[in-house]
Amino acid sequence: MKKTKVIALLILVLLFGVIIFFTSPNLNPLYADGLGFWSFVITSFSLLIWLLNIGKKKLIVLNDNAARFNMMKRGRKYLIVAAAPWVILIAVSIFSSVLFHTDSYKNQMPEPENRTFSSDVQAIDIARLPVVDSNLAALLADKKLGEKPALGSQVTLGEPTIQKVNDKLVWVVPLLHSGFFKWISNSSGTPGYILVSATNPKDVTYVENHPVKYQPNAYFFDNLQRHTRFSGGFFTGLTDYSFEINDDGKPYWVVTTYKNLVGMSLPEADGVIVIDAGTGESVRYGINNVPKWVD
């Protein structure tokens, strides 16, 4: 029976390893998703050990009422252990809510400042006024992609990101894999991205020779979320994966890191992780030293 228990536990450990690889969860129990993951792990281990012990007891003393009573008594202990982390998760979530921390939620926003409108807001040239929104940028990018039929069957468009590049306001639209087999056949990544001017709908450029290897639509270690976690982000709050380019046109993924100010609530950005879309090289920056080109 001992050998069976060891094998069962090893299988469970292997299963959790597979889950961690494919879901790339936050492993920090100070975040709600991290505590939820560890609650699942503790519950699974507790119930497995209890079930294995039940099987052992039944084989040894099937008709012994005293042993059966002791088995159920021990079973309650396992159930308490299995339920405890979920109780903690619910309790912390409730006590982290705005009902108990109204001042903290209110003070997260800075105090308003009285400023002079005419000195703080400069008049801009009407020719530089943004007229292209996210939806129109996506349509224009899709039209540009349609000009390349061979490429259009291999890739799909990602979410447009607006940013300022060399003093020009543009939408950057990444090219992503259109499926698993396209990812296999293009292991070096998609060829680049499409640049759409936010001020001129006629200014749409297809930019190639900037491979986007790491992306949300990739698989295994090329997957952006998985790569970010395995590159030192397992115990960090991550959100807002945005595609941006620097002033030289090189593509990156910018991932916002955050911390919770109250328990497991009131998230606040504390920096970014900048990931080279082609090589996967990642650099973490604090909130005060983020590169200037990051928007």
Side-chain angles (χ1 to χ4, degrees), residues 11-27:
I11 292 175
L12 192 58
V13 170
L14 179 62
L15 177 61
F16 282 125
V18 173
I19 292 174
I20 289 174
F21 178 79
F22 283 101
T23 64
S24 305
N26 185 351
L27 299 182

Side-chain angles (χ1 to χ4, degrees), residues 36-271:
F37 173 79
W38 287 114
S39 298
F40 175 67
V41 171
I42 293 172
T43 299
S44 300
F45 270 101
S46 299
L47 294 179
L48 176 63
I49 294 173
W50 181 39
L51 290 174
L52 290 174
N53 284 334
I54 287 177
K56 183 178 179 180
K57 293 288 184 181
K58 284 185 175 181
L59 287 174
I60 296 176
V61 284
L62 186 61
N63 297 318
D64 190 333
N65 290 330
R68 189 177 297 128
F69 174 78
N70 182 56
M71 180 176 63
M72 296 306 297
K73 185 177 180 180
R74 292 185 63 185
R76 286 197 293 270
K77 295 180 181 179
Y78 287 114
L79 289 176
I80 291 174
V81 173
W86 298 105
V87 173
I88 294 173
L89 175 60
I90 294 172
V92 173
S93 299
I94 292 174
F95 287 108
S96 300
S97 68
V98 66
L99 295 174
F100 298 93
H101 301 278
T102 53
D103 289 339
S104 297
Y105 278 79
K106 181 185 68 176
N107 295 333
Q108 187 180 29
M109 294 295 293
E111 291 292 329
E113 298 180 24
N114 293 320
R115 307 287 291 269
T116 303
F117 183 84
S118 58
S119 61
D120 292 335
V121 179
Q122 303 296 325
I124 64 172
D125 185 352
I126 193 171
R128 300 176 60 188
L129 199 66
V131 295
V132 177
D133 63 7
S134 177
N135 292 333
L136 180 55
L139 290 173
L140 294 172
D142 186 58
K143 182 179 179 181
K144 174 61 69 173
L145 184 62
E147 297 175 1
K148 300 180 179 295
L151 182 63
S153 63
Q154 301 179 45
V155 302
T156 185
L157 295 175
E159 182 178 352
T161 303
I162 192 169
Q163 63 175 120
K164 200 171 186 179
V165 180
N166 294 320
D167 203 35
K168 181 180 178 182
L169 197 61
V170 296
W171 290 95
V172 187
V173 188
L175 301 179
L176 306 179
H177 296 295
S178 59
F180 178 75
F181 294 104
K182 300 302 181 183
W183 168 73
I184 291 179
S185 60
N186 296 283
S187 58
S188 61
T190 51
Y193 54 89
I194 295 177
L195 209 60
V196 181
S197 171
T199 58
N200 182 6
K202 297 181 179 179
D203 186 1
V204 183
T205 307
Y206 166 67
V207 181
E208 56 184 351
N209 298 324
H210 286 290
V212 182
K213 179 179 176 64
Y214 296 87
Q215 51 179 273
N217 287 25
Y219 297 85
F220 296 103
F221 287 106
D222 289 351
N223 179 268
L224 176 62
Q225 289 81 357
R226 184 174 300 117
H227 178 77
T228 307
R229 288 294 186 192
F230 278 83
S231 298
F234 265 123
F235 295 89
T236 305
L238 302 177
T239 187
D240 189 21
Y241 293 74
S242 62
F243 185 82
E244 301 186 30
I245 61 175
N246 63 10
D247 290 337
D248 296 324
K250 189 173 182 178
Y252 294 86
W253 291 99
V254 179
V255 186
T256 301
T257 62
Y258 70 92
K259 60 182 178 180
N260 293 319
L261 300 182
V262 175
M264 295 183 181
S265 299
L266 202 61
E268 183 170 280
D270 62 357

